[in-house]
Amino acid sequence: MKNSMMDSMLRGWLRLGSFFRKKPLDRELDEEIEAHLGMAVAENLRRGLSLQEARRQAMIRFGGVPQAKERQRQERGVPGLDVLLQDLRYTVRTLGRDRLFAVIAVLILALGIGANIAVFSVVNTILLRPLPFQDPQRLVWIAPADANGLSASTYSADAYDDLLAQNRSYDDVTGYFAFSTSDNFKLTGHGEPIPVTGIGVAGNFFHMLGVEPALGRSFTKDESIKGGRAVVLLAHPFWERQFGGDRGIVGRPITLDGRPVTVVGVLPDTFDFGAVFSPGAKVDILVPQVMDDIRNQGNTLALIGRLKPGVSVAQAQAEATVLFPKFFWSKKYPDSAGNYSAKPIELKEHVSGRLRRSLIVLWCAVGLILLIVCVNLSNLLLARAAARSKEFALRSALGAGRGRLVRQLLTESLVLAGMGAVLGLGLAYGIISYLRHQGSIALPLLGSVEVDGAALLWTLAISVGASVLFGLLPGLKISGSNLQEALKDSGQGMSEGRSHERMRSALVISEVALACVLLIGAGLLLRSFMRVLDVDLGFQPSTAAAIKVDYNDGGSVEKRSAILEEVLRRVRAIPGVEAAGITDNLPLERNRGWGGPRAKGKVYRNGDVPGAFVYIVSPGYVAAMGMRLRGRDFGWQDSMKGENTVILNEAAARFLWPGEDAVGKIALIGKSEVRVIGVVADVHETNVEGKAGEQMYLPTMRDEWGPDGAELVVRTKLPPAQLAGSVLRTLRELNPNQPAVEFRPIQGIVDHAVSPRRFFVLLVTIFAGLGLVLASLGIYGVISYSVTRRTQEIGIRMALGATPGRVQLGVISTTLRMALVGIAVGAVASMVVARLIASMLFGTAPTDPMTFAVMILLLGGVAVLAGYVPARRASQINPMVALRNN
Amino acid sequence: MGESKLDLLQGTLDLMVLQTLTSMGDMHGYGIARRIEQVSGDEVLLNQGTIYASLVRLQQRGWIAAEWGTSENNRKAKFYSITKRGRKQLAEDAAYWQRLSSVMGRVLAMGDEGGER
């Protein structure tokens, strides 16, 4: 048994070997047969036959020499491989002869396949691949079910401690400080102060995720306890950028915010905190979060748990509903328990769940493109097939079977698809390396998108699939055509039947229908995007910019006020500055929520007061942001010396005093009584597309509200970049330690917030445009071909008195008929598709008549245009020439 | 034309070649073909050319070996010889054929007796 297997393996090997040694083996066989015949002739001669008869007998006994050789060749080699090689050789020759066709086909295929590879790589990275952590399927994101904004999805340090102590579901729970802003650290000792973005993480963070530092070690337990050693881990890109990849940095101190901090390690290249937890942000360093430091700051920790093996997410959820209501906001306040809830979900779901639908839509759109490409190519091949029908008829007359012909045609399609795939891979590689460097797109994991093994497999699958799809129909069509008819008719005027043309029309119609679906889908998304851009944000993002201001007030509110007043006075004096103000948080960025304001004198039940977003601002901020204010803005007099004041947004004012003017009323914030001096329009604080929550603006001049950092907002008529230098110079004059942070246009913050939608809309629109071009190419091809074919007929008609205008009209109406059928089918399909993407639309109905009308007109117009070119040619046919030619 | 001659069953030619090489020693293709024709009393329908497909197959299986040499009348020719594994294979195949032909003989012999039941 074993022997025979060895034998067949050996034989297969030898066969393959013979395939590559064709020439010498053939020569050897020739010699052998020659010797054979020689001996036979000699023997016959000895038997007394004449030379001629001896030869004849020898040949008869031998049988056909070519047949014997062929049988031997088949026996020793790999017959399929031989045929394939023949087909390939033939393909290269025919395609070489029809170079224009080959180039067009390969280009179209490259576009289709390339777009598919690129989108697949994105989908694969964001949706399909597991997160780059150890056992990622056991990681869960612990947050309330309906978390809106970070503040609502975080927990206090006391709650974290209790969760660690009381849970039975998790191997471990970790967390990070969720309210760090960009450039929140200052690295000194390397020339000018360098702004650095750092995140505080629980001591067990890396251990729990299973991330091993590339160099050095991660944090130890005592380093996240108050008074522990000051240590830092460097992110890989920051280490390379700032320290030139110096391995000796580990163990050495660096100066952060004026304190020496020891570098204990460098994180691996594969770990990107921003990519997973805050898409579109770069994180340079990670520091251990000392829990005691934030114990009084409320809900600041985002929590991640690692489920015990065998514990399901549902079990963890069930436990959470019992456990979380017992946790304290702060144990100093015994009545602060009972406000928490949590619904743990898979971390992967948290990171990319929201994007699933968009990505799938994108995937489908790009799949449609490939389908259109296939239809288009099928059409091109059919047209070519008509011209080649005689060649195939001849081959089949010479004995080629139908299977052999289809095989030949499929080889051609495979070669085309293969070349398209290679070019497409290049294209996809270009797109992906472009995308990877779009740090401003707030999509998770975008930086790690690559053409990996899975993408290559996908490429192979779609290329083969596509080539079968577009090659099979023409193949069957040709090989099934009537041999005699094809050979018989020699005129080029009528070489193909009506059915052939009908099939091509059907293909074009389906192409138009597919393009129609793409266009309407893209149109709806585009309209939604424009609606999003039109949203009244509650502030004016254009012509304003923000810069982070570094200052040291030593904890004194008077000193802080004095510093900030001086900063604003100097900045407002810069030519071109219209308004300036300071806030600690900018909308659409980090946000922070406190217990909301209450109307003085009203009684609220526990849980009735919604949380409010808090902004601690200077006088002038409201104007600098371009917010609409009723009442008055803060003045520097609203300090500890004056009355405690607040500005509310409409949502908060409405909740507190429905139907009344809030200005002048007294509200309670925590235990403080504050007078409402103004009401501003709702600002979109969390996202552009959602609704605004309650907001309160508090003066930075009061001791009760400690601001967390300072963002200077400057409004100007000049392009913000033009002011960057002078603003930074002014800040440096006041504080030499001011790091060279970015002067960020507020519009950029808004753009960042809408970047995922922009990304999807841009891609879908490009695909729709591609679909439109391909469909019009298809229409052009078919109409143009039919005009060429009917040159004689048109000539006769014109000779009989048809005017050029009439001929032209005839051709265009044919085009229009095809386009209209396609559009009708496409429009119906679009209604279904539009319903499927309804949840992705914003302010646009899935049946938006405007979008449907515009896109249908666009498609119809392009179709007519594609038909017009051949129609014009038809009308210019000279009847005499046309008739003489045939 | 060959009505009275036997068509070769699949694999029988290989067996004949192996047997011929065993009994006759090293031979070239022509010699093998002639020998089979002679032994079979010209009852087998054999285009001599088909022997070469069989020879290359046996060679690839490692049952025979080939070497260029000179024939009795000074011609360059390829000589085939059976290998050890070829002999083993021949023994197996020959036993199989013998069993098969005896079974076939018995089956066909019962034909006219109208069955046993």
Side-chain angles (χ1 to χ4, degrees):
Chain A
M1 207 63 233
K2 198 175 147 206
N3 230 350
S4 75
M5 206 176 80
M6 285 282 288
D7 279 355
S8 43
M9 265 170 65
L10 176 72
R11 179 138 191 260
W13 180 245
L14 286 170
R15 281 185 141 189
L16 202 64
S18 329
F19 173 76
F20 292 107
R21 288 174 47 227
K22 202 176 173 70
K23 276 233 174 87
L25 288 174
D26 273 354
R27 207 166 42 234
E28 215 169 294
L29 180 63
D30 283 348
E31 278 176 45
E32 204 176 355
I33 289 175
E34 207 178 306
H36 181 118
L37 290 173
M39 287 187 268
V41 171
E43 192 184 326
N44 287 344
L45 282 175
R46 276 201 302 280
R47 278 170 36 206
L49 297 176
S50 72
L51 181 61
Q52 203 185 357
E53 185 60 14
R55 281 218 183 105
R56 205 176 76 85
Q57 287 293 334
M59 290 303 277
I60 289 173
R61 296 305 292 273
F62 190 85
V65 174
Q67 280 86 341
K69 281 186 189 172
E70 187 55 33
R71 280 180 71 171
Q72 199 258 13
R73 264 189 227 121
Q74 274 183 19
E75 197 59 55
R76 73 169 191 228
V78 193
L81 209 56
D82 276 331
V83 174
L84 180 69
L85 220 60
Q86 272 176 23
D87 282 350
L88 279 179
R89 226 173 282 137
Y90 189 75
T91 300
V92 170
R93 235 182 298 140
T94 44
L95 289 181
R97 231 183 293 135
D98 210 346
R99 220 161 280 159
L100 184 67
F101 163 79
V103 168
I104 290 178
V106 168
L107 279 183
I108 291 178
L109 274 165
L111 278 178
I113 295 177
N116 267 279
I117 302 170
V119 168
F120 175 82
S121 303
V122 172
V123 170
N124 184 35
T125 307
I126 299 181
L127 220 52
L128 307 179
R129 261 207 314 241
L131 292 172
F133 303 128
Q134 196 188 330
D135 290 338
Q137 68 283 354
R138 278 169 51 207
L139 295 175
V140 293
W141 175 257
I142 303 172
D146 50 354
N148 175 31
L150 262 183
S151 196
S153 60
T154 47
Y155 297 94
S156 67
D158 282 345
Y160 172 55
D161 287 346
D162 280 352
L163 177 63
L164 270 179
Q166 296 174 25
N167 85 82
R168 291 159 181 277
S169 299
Y170 305 105
D171 267 349
D172 205 355
V173 180
T174 190
Y176 63 90
F177 184 76
F179 295 92
S180 305
T181 51
S182 58
D183 301 337
N184 55 346
F185 285 89
K186 188 169 61 179
L187 175 68
T188 47
H190 302 264
E192 283 191 0
I194 295 153
V196 173
T197 305
I199 303 277
V201 298
N204 60 355
F205 189 77
F206 295 103
H207 180 73
M208 195 207 83
L209 293 179
V211 173
E212 285 291 325
L215 291 174
R217 58 168 175 87
S218 54
F219 304 131
T220 58
K221 228 176 189 143
D222 56 321
E223 282 160 351
S224 49
I225 293 172
K226 201 167 179 75
R229 237 150 54 97
V231 292
V232 63
L233 275 165
L234 306 180
H236 203 270
F238 178 70
W239 172 60
E240 287 190 324
R241 195 173 65 238
Q242 189 58 45
F243 300 101
D246 172 19
R247 303 175 76 89
I249 193 72
V250 176
R252 286 218 305 262
I254 57 174
T255 311
L256 283 175
D257 288 348
R259 277 189 327 148
V261 180
T262 308
V263 177
V264 290
V266 175
L267 288 165
D269 201 10
T270 47
F271 178 80
D272 183 349
F273 183 92
V276 178
F277 298 106
S278 65
K282 67 166 179 61
V283 171
D284 300 319
I285 58 169
L286 290 122
V287 294
Q289 181 63 53
V290 175
M291 291 302 159
D292 286 342
D293 286 352
I294 56 171
R295 213 165 281 286
N296 293 325
Q297 292 183 17
N299 300 331
T300 52
L301 286 173
L303 299 185
I304 303 148
R306 177 177 289 283
L307 293 174
K308 282 185 178 146
V311 174
S312 70
V313 175
Q315 282 168 304
Q317 285 172 354
E319 188 193 52
T321 53
V322 182
L323 221 48
F324 274 74
K326 296 185 197 160
F327 296 159
F328 292 88
W329 182 79
S330 166
K331 291 202 168 154
K332 280 193 209 158
Y333 307 102
D335 61 342
S336 69
N339 286 316
Y340 286 118
S341 70
K343 186 180 182 199
I345 54 169
E346 254 185 74
L347 183 59
K348 174 89 188 172
E349 177 68 22
H350 165 70
V351 171
S352 55
R354 276 168 304 130
L355 296 168
R356 182 176 299 125
R357 191 174 280 264
S358 305
L359 283 169
I360 287 174
V361 165
L362 197 63
W363 209 2
C364 290
V366 86
L368 274 186
I369 283 291
L370 191 62
L371 214 55
I372 294 179
V373 163
C374 285
V375 174
N376 220 325
L377 238 70
S378 220
N379 226 330
L380 279 175
L381 282 175
L382 267 179
R384 223 165 82 90
R388 288 172 73 186
S389 61
K390 232 162 273 158
E391 167 201 335
F392 281 98
L394 197 64
R395 286 187 65 182
S396 87
L398 290 177
R402 187 171 180 183
R404 187 74 175 70
L405 289 184
V406 172
R407 193 171 161 169
Q408 163 68 36
L409 280 165
L410 277 181
T411 309
E412 288 188 23
S413 348
L414 269 172
V415 167
L416 285 175
M419 292 201 283
V422 170
L423 212 61
L425 266 176
L427 182 71
Y429 198 80
I431 297 174
I432 284 168
S433 51
Y434 170 77
L435 281 182
R436 220 184 358 221
H437 295 105
Q438 296 307 297
S440 59
I441 300 178
L443 287 179
L445 307 165
L446 200 61
S448 57
V449 173
E450 56 178 1
V451 182
D452 59 358
L456 287 178
L457 267 179
W458 179 247
T459 310
L460 191 69
I462 60 174
S463 314
V464 172
S467 62
V468 169
L469 208 60
F470 71 73
L472 202 57
L473 184 66
L476 291 175
K477 187 79 195 157
I478 290 177
S479 60
S481 66
N482 190 325
L483 204 159
Q484 272 194 327
E485 226 167 68
L487 279 177
K488 199 169 53 191
D489 80 83
S490 51
Q492 67 168 130
M494 40 195 53
S495 64
E496 53 172 321
R498 280 203 159 278
S499 77
H500 207 114
E501 200 169 335
R502 254 206 308 276
M503 181 177 292
R504 295 201 61 196
S505 303
L507 285 178
V508 168
I509 287 171
S510 52
E511 215 175 333
V512 171
L514 290 172
C516 185
V517 172
L518 260 181
L519 274 175
I520 290 179
L524 289 171
L525 290 173
L526 198 62
R527 199 166 158 81
S528 301
F529 183 59
M530 293 193 301
R531 286 273 158 84
V532 168
L533 292 188
D534 270 352
V535 162
D536 174 14
L537 295 167
F539 59 92
Q540 300 287 331
S542 55
T543 73
I547 185 168
K548 187 181 277 294
V549 178
D550 179 69
Y551 64 91
N552 186 1
D553 58 13
S556 144
V557 64
E558 285 80 20
K559 203 167 166 201
R560 177 167 75 226
S561 301
I563 293 171
L564 296 184
E565 190 173 358
E566 179 64 8
V567 165
L568 286 175
R569 197 183 61 77
R570 299 276 288 265
V571 168
R572 283 175 186 146
I574 298 172
V577 171
E578 288 184 335
I582 286 170
T583 180
D584 62 343
N585 285 331
L586 285 166
L588 300 176
E589 289 211 323
R590 170 182 72 163
N591 58 43
R592 159 191 49 192
W594 286 356
R598 289 154 290 153
K600 187 187 176 192
K602 284 194 194 173
V603 181
Y604 298 89
R605 269 179 312 173
N606 214 358
D608 266 3
V609 180
F613 295 97
V614 180
Y615 300 86
I616 297 171
V617 303
S618 77
Y621 169 72
V622 168
M625 279 302 274
M627 291 154 68
R628 294 190 301 279
L629 171 73
R630 232 158 12 93
R632 71 165 178 92
D633 187 13
F634 298 115
W636 294 108
Q637 76 280 2
D638 294 317
S639 60
M640 297 310 289
K641 291 174 198 132
E643 195 182 14
N644 206 345
T645 50
V646 67
I647 296 177
L648 298 178
N649 73 340
E650 295 282 2
R654 219 171 19 244
F655 174 76
L656 263 53
W657 296 282
E660 292 173 66
D661 188 3
V663 177
K665 299 252 175 16
I666 301 287
L668 286 171
I669 298 171
K671 301 214 161 26
S672 314
E673 282 189 15
V674 289
R675 181 172 299 280
V676 179
I677 56 166
V679 174
V680 289
D682 291 346
V683 165
H684 281 254
E685 80 293 310
T686 312
N687 53 45
V688 174
E689 298 176 22
K691 279 184 101 146
E694 286 192 20
Q695 294 150 11
M696 49 193 189
Y697 297 82
L698 298 164
T700 188
M701 298 77 75
R702 297 283 303 192
D703 222 358
E704 295 92 334
W705 336 117
D708 182 12
E711 292 273 358
L712 168 67
V713 178
V714 173
R715 178 160 294 275
T716 162
K717 280 212 179 74
L718 302 172
Q722 222 170 302
L723 272 183
S726 43
V727 170
L728 188 61
R729 213 171 314 118
T730 307
L731 294 176
R732 278 267 164 81
E733 281 166 21
L734 291 166
N735 174 13
N737 277 331
Q738 167 72 31
V741 286
E742 215 186 333
F743 195 54
R744 300 180 300 152
I746 302 289
Q747 186 64 52
I749 297 169
V750 178
D751 288 347
H752 180 77
V754 298
S755 59
R757 186 177 275 278
R758 183 191 303 270
F759 173 80
F760 289 120
V761 165
L762 185 70
L763 285 187
V764 172
T765 307
I766 289 175
F767 296 154
L770 207 59
L772 187 65
V773 169
L774 288 173
S776 58
L777 236 145
I779 293 174
Y780 171 80
V782 166
I783 298 294
S784 171
Y785 182 76
S786 94
V787 166
T788 311
R789 215 175 57 77
R790 290 166 51 209
T791 304
Q792 208 180 0
E793 176 202 326
I794 294 171
I796 293 174
R797 282 213 200 158
M798 290 177 80
L800 291 177
T803 61
R806 207 180 150 66
V807 168
Q808 209 166 323
L809 199 69
V811 175
I812 289 185
S813 69
T814 313
T815 315
L816 210 54
R817 235 185 344 260
M818 274 200 304
L820 282 182
V821 177
I823 287 174
V825 175
V828 172
S830 300
M831 302 233 191
V832 181
V833 169
R835 197 140 306 154
L836 293 177
I837 61 169
S839 67
M840 289 172 63
L841 303 180
F842 179 84
T844 310
T847 52
D848 185 44
M850 181 77 169
T851 307
F852 272 74
V854 167
M855 288 305 158
I856 285 172
L857 279 180
L858 177 65
L859 187 54
V862 170
V864 168
L865 206 66
Y868 174 74
V869 180
R872 212 175 126 73
R873 191 153 52 83
S875 71
Q876 284 166 346
I877 287 173
N878 183 338
M880 293 315 288
V881 177
L883 290 176
R884 224 178 292 133
N885 265 351
N886 226 307
Chain B
M1 55 165 191
E3 244 179 46
S4 57
K5 292 196 178 185
L6 288 174
D7 244 329
L8 280 180
L9 285 170
Q10 181 81 41
T12 41
L13 184 58
D14 288 4
L15 185 54
M16 289 179 184
V17 170
L18 288 179
Q19 179 61 43
T20 308
L21 287 176
T22 313
S23 51
M24 306 292 293
D26 297 4
M27 287 184 95
H28 45 65
Y30 177 67
I32 300 171
R34 285 295 293 139
R35 182 69 196 162
I36 291 174
E37 283 174 348
Q38 285 165 9
V39 170
S40 73
D42 281 350
E43 268 191 84
V44 169
L45 175 68
L46 175 70
N47 278 332
Q48 291 173 358
T50 51
I51 198 110
Y52 290 100
S54 174
L55 285 171
V56 81
R57 182 164 55 231
L58 292 173
Q59 212 181 327
Q60 283 184 341
R61 288 195 171 131
W63 296 343
I64 61 173
E67 205 177 356
W68 285 95
T70 321
S71 73
E72 51 274 30
N73 35 20
N74 262 341
R75 268 175 200 284
K76 211 181 139 212
K78 208 179 201 178
F79 281 81
Y80 296 90
S81 58
I82 190 158
T83 63
K84 215 166 135 188
R85 278 167 61 202
R87 279 179 215 282
K88 218 178 108 196
Q89 187 66 30
L90 174 63
E92 273 175 34
D93 287 359
Y96 168 79
W97 268 103
Q98 245 129 48
R99 272 175 61 200
L100 184 65
S101 66
S102 85
V103 169
M104 286 308 287
R106 266 179 282 149
V107 168
L108 295 173
M110 75 184 182
D112 280 348
E113 282 150 34
E116 293 187 359
R117 45 173 77 189

